[in-house]
Amino acid sequence: MQFLLAFVVAAPLLGALAALLPAPPGLKGKSPEQAVLRHGVTVTGVILAAAVALALGFDHDTPARFQATTDISWIPALDVRIHLGIDGISLPLLLMTALLFFLCALYSYFKLPQGPSPKAFVALILVLESGTLATFAVLDLLLFFLAFEMVLIPMYFLIARWGGAQRQAAAWKFILYTLLGSVVMLLGLLLIGVNSGTFDMVALASDNGRELTHTTQLLAVLAIGTGLAVKTPMWPLHSWLPDAHTAAPTVGSVLLAGVLLKMGTYGFVRILLPVTPDGMATFAPYLGAFAAVGIVYGSLACLWLARKGNKGDLKRLIAYSSVGHMGFVLLGIASMTPTGVNGALFANIAHGLITGLLFFLVGALKDRYGTADLDTLAGATGAALYGRAPRLGAFLAFAAVASLGLPGLAGFWGEMLALFGAFEPARGLSRPAFLTYMAFGAFGTLLTAAYLLTVVRRVCMGDPAARPQSAPGAASGPALELADIQRYEFAAWTPLVALTVLAGLWPAVLLGLTDPAVQKLLAGGNA
């Protein structure tokens, strides 16, 4: 188990180095480009298999205990250790990360985005995977920061070199926002380590903030929370996200939404809740307020983009939907209750699966039509997917209803539990304030249903004015020739559909892992 976790974290880096080397003659296949893309699929597949083996070997009877641990001294002068381990909170995120990277590598093997060398593309994907997996596995504050920052450069280049229109501006906005947030976060991490005498996250969580004064906790929450909120992204620190998603290649958008956004909320749960509980209790009402505003704001922005005549970009709409969905995650965390935090963790996984699928589908539409403009998709081209590409239309409709929180699918449970957490927040928090936030969240679910059903009606059925173009006997043209789902697309998307249904019908699979760990975390390691 120790070896498996270390392998999962380190193997992508070794795979990235190997991707930059010349392929052996017998493995080149038809071209060096095919060889390096096959290398990416193989490495991410092996990592996924190792992550699954790690899950199978995990002791599910004690999910609150850190398992597969490695604890080696790295910088003795600062008491920084290479400390790895997983519990019921980090294991689902580790598995989802490994799965999404494998599916993105598989998709890219058949549909590589336009850009420079495929070698560089595969190497960047693997470096990005190592950083995200390490974020969910490390148990040292400074190692967490290094892993947290490790993902920035690969994602910057994926947007700037393989992205679409306005990719340079979007990439710079992404890197500037996240770097500035990270500088502030580092100050907060150092403040905790210096004042407590250790950077070990397990020891800090067990101490439960008793070695830190109230002022120190307040400063730490303000500094670390700012950096995490940028990555989450929390309103009003979200403005980098729509541009980054719109410009990024399909797999970049999938990984940004499915994995990178989860790093911010994971930091709130893993670091701030157990290490600075008094500081979090002070800032929780403000965090809940920002979350509630973000839910409504993101939904209203999507509703505006979905309206006919507004020239809304479908990728941009899904990006704004992430602001709303991640607002539910932050609301659950702000409640500081087991119910709310479990809901936040469940919503994290659900958002990764569903929004990852949505970005795959929007990317497929853009490949077929050359645009993600909603008016163009629903109007001039008459993109009535149910008639021209029924399987693609069915996948899009499924992802939309899953995203709006239809009962029986994964999107329902996390948001419902987050609202329940706000209904009865932790002792000491203002219940009237959190009831107000819950009302905002409930209103946001109605807005979410409105804009997603509008998208399904327009894209899958076509605007009424465009329907005569698709009537029998209408003039044929490029708009009528639309490829349905290809085999490689079906292979990349079906696991996300299956897991969305599984998590929706059997939520105990995930909650059985997270709940004991959350109970222990909120009790300061004493439960």
Side-chain angles (χ1 to χ4, degrees):
M1 290 285 284
Q2 286 178 310
F3 170 78
L4 278 175
L5 184 58
F7 175 81
V8 164
V9 171
L13 281 179
L14 299 176
L17 291 174
L20 298 175
L21 300 175
L27 298 178
K28 286 185 178 180
K30 296 180 181 178
S31 68
E33 176 180 306
Q34 185 191 48
V36 74
L37 292 173
R38 186 168 57 246
H39 170 79
V41 175
T42 302
V43 173
T44 55
V46 169
I47 294 165
L48 175 59
V52 171
L54 196 63
L56 293 175
F58 187 82
D59 184 358
H60 291 260
D61 293 329
T62 58
R65 177 175 61 87
F66 284 103
Q67 302 178 36
T69 55
T70 298
D71 192 2
I72 304 171
S73 179
W74 183 34
I75 308 176
L78 298 177
D79 193 29
V80 178
R81 310 182 68 81
I82 299 177
H83 193 180
L84 305 176
I86 53 169
D87 64 353
I89 293 173
S90 52
L91 179 61
L93 289 166
L94 199 79
L95 283 170
M96 184 182 70
T97 299
L99 173 65
L100 285 175
F101 272 94
F102 171 69
L103 297 181
C104 285
L106 180 65
Y107 186 86
S108 299
Y109 179 81
F110 295 95
K111 192 69 179 180
L112 181 68
Q114 292 184 352
S117 164
K119 283 190 173 187
F121 177 83
V122 171
L124 288 171
I125 289 288
L126 292 174
V127 172
L128 186 66
E129 182 175 23
S130 182
T132 52
L133 290 169
T135 300
F136 301 132
V138 297
L139 296 174
D140 183 276
L141 288 181
L142 291 186
L143 278 185
F144 176 86
F145 177 78
L146 292 176
F148 199 85
E149 296 304 289
M150 185 176 170
V151 306
L152 300 186
I153 299 303
M155 182 53 70
Y156 167 82
F157 281 109
L158 286 174
I159 297 172
R161 304 302 298 274
W162 284 270
Q166 305 297 320
R167 59 182 182 268
Q168 292 291 344
W172 274 111
K173 198 171 186 179
F174 163 77
I175 200 75
L176 288 175
Y177 265 75
T178 49
L179 276 178
L180 288 174
S182 297
V183 169
V184 179
M185 184 176 75
L186 177 60
L187 295 176
L189 295 174
L190 292 174
L191 182 66
I192 289 176
V194 169
N195 281 274
S196 63
T198 181
F199 289 99
D200 186 84
M201 292 160 66
V202 178
L204 288 167
S206 298
D207 184 69
N208 204 216
R210 285 182 285 271
E211 293 293 326
L212 303 173
T213 66
H214 185 66
T215 301
T216 300
Q217 291 194 35
L218 288 177
L219 292 173
V221 171
L222 185 61
I224 299 171
T226 299
L228 297 174
V230 171
K231 185 67 71 73
T232 295
M234 180 186 78
W235 180 91
L237 303 175
H238 69 284
S239 60
W240 62 270
L241 184 71
D243 292 339
H245 270 309
T246 304
T250 296
V251 294
S253 293
V254 171
L255 296 175
L256 185 58
V259 180
L260 267 68
L261 302 191
K262 311 304 174 284
M263 296 166 63
T265 51
Y266 176 77
F268 275 103
V269 174
R270 178 63 75 200
I271 299 173
L272 293 185
L273 280 178
V275 178
T276 57
D278 294 340
M280 272 296 291
T282 300
F283 280 105
Y286 303 101
L287 180 62
F290 285 130
V293 173
I295 291 169
V296 176
Y297 169 81
S299 300
L300 288 174
C302 291
L303 199 57
W304 187 88
L305 289 168
R307 288 183 60 188
K308 185 176 181 180
N310 287 343
K311 293 291 181 182
D313 187 285
L314 195 49
K315 286 188 75 176
R316 196 173 190 86
L317 184 148
I318 303 303
Y320 272 109
S321 78
S322 292
V323 176
H325 288 305
M326 297 309 289
F328 282 100
V329 177
L330 290 173
L331 181 60
I333 293 170
S335 74
M336 297 185 68
T337 62
T339 300
V341 176
N342 274 304
L345 294 171
F346 200 105
N348 252 349
I349 299 297
H351 179 265
L353 298 174
I354 297 168
T355 306
L357 177 61
L358 278 169
F359 275 116
F360 268 135
L361 293 165
V362 175
L365 282 174
K366 190 171 184 179
D367 289 338
R368 286 157 169 79
Y369 281 103
T371 181
D373 179 77
L374 192 54
D375 286 342
T376 302
L377 291 175
T381 56
L385 290 183
Y386 287 156
R388 299 200 176 99
R391 289 186 289 276
L392 184 57
F395 267 74
L396 181 61
F398 171 85
V401 297
S403 185
L404 64 83
L406 184 73
L409 298 176
F412 171 74
W413 295 105
E415 295 182 2
M416 183 194 70
L417 291 172
L419 293 176
F420 279 170
F423 180 75
E424 193 70 51
R427 184 180 303 174
L429 300 181
S430 171
R431 191 169 185 231
F434 274 85
L435 287 175
T436 303
Y437 306 154
M438 185 192 74
F440 271 81
F443 180 57
T445 62
L446 299 178
L447 295 176
T448 301
Y451 72 74
L452 285 169
L453 292 177
T454 299
V455 168
V456 171
R457 177 182 60 80
R458 297 191 66 200
V459 177
C460 293
M461 302 176 187
D463 282 336
R467 287 175 188 167
Q469 298 177 14
S470 59
S476 62
L480 299 179
E481 300 173 4
L482 183 67
D484 210 337
I485 293 179
Q486 306 297 303
R487 289 183 179 178
Y488 71 92
E489 293 173 328
F490 188 80
W493 303 344
T494 301
L496 300 179
V497 173
L499 289 173
T500 299
V501 174
L502 176 64
L505 295 178
W506 197 7
V509 173
L510 185 55
L511 293 174
L513 282 172
T514 62
D515 185 55
V518 167
Q519 297 279 357
K520 180 179 179 180
L521 178 140
L522 293 177
N526 298 319

